[in-house]
Amino acid sequence: MTERKRTPWVVGVSGASGTPYAASVIRGLLAAGESVDLVVSRASRLTLLDETGIAFRDAHWREDLREWLARGADGKPGTFEVPEGDVRYWSAGDLAAGPSSGSYPAKGMLIVPASTACVAGVALGLSKDLLQRAASVMLKERRRLVVAVRETPLNGQTLKALVALDEAGAVVLPASPAFYAGATHIQDLVDFVAGRVLDAAGVPHRLYRRWEGELGGGQSSRPREASGD
């Protein structure tokens, strides 16, 4: 196994709806020159298949990942040029994988999207698969853990689990897009959430227009509609 130039970020994709969020985050990390360790849960493969039509396969993960990252949030193939970069894939069932150990170097972990089942499992320290185990490692090693929870409404048990994660040092980041940045397409809303995830990780990006204290700034950035006589 060759030595990597950069310490990686672990990206965990759980079974919640929102696979375009994960794709945008991964593209953003690669565009910033970051290394990525990818963990795709079993449940998320079903969501990915449902939302994109892509069957993510262990034996062909490079081809499937490239096809996934090239798609827009509207499902259109070939929307994006996929940045070249250092990606290592770990099967969710491989509990002997690198990210399962605190001695494995990692900058932190981004779970996007995070299902309520994933949130509960991490909060309780269940480590039922590699995704949950890697998240537990981040907490015990005091590394950055960003949990982009994607569910609504939230019941009391999930809220308690999110509070537990916050108290343990995780960043709880609901996948809640904002509209002040002048969104004109579903991809803009996806990229806003992905950009906030990268903000929480301290990774530079240009995924959305930042607030600059000017009311209506987002409106001025939108293309003007043609007006009739």
Side-chain angles (χ1 to χ4, degrees), residues 74-92:
D74 58 3
K76 184 179 178 181
T79 299
F80 293 99
E81 245 184 76
V82 181
E84 295 296 329
D86 175 16
V87 180
R88 183 175 292 171
Y89 170 72
W90 302 96
S91 172

Side-chain angles (χ1 to χ4, degrees), residues 1 4 10 36-40 45 58 88-94 96-99 104 130:
M1 191 173 292
R4 306 174 85 174
V10 179
V36 173
D37 275 17
L38 179 62
V39 182
V40 179
R45 294 177 187 230
D58 285 352
R88 183 175 292 171
Y89 170 72
W90 302 96
S91 172
D94 184 4
Y104 182 81
L130 179 59

Side-chain angles (χ1 to χ4, degrees), residues 38-50:
L38 179 62
V39 182
V40 179
S41 76
R42 291 179 62 187
S44 69
R45 294 177 187 230
L46 298 176
T47 308
L48 183 62
L49 180 62
D50 184 55

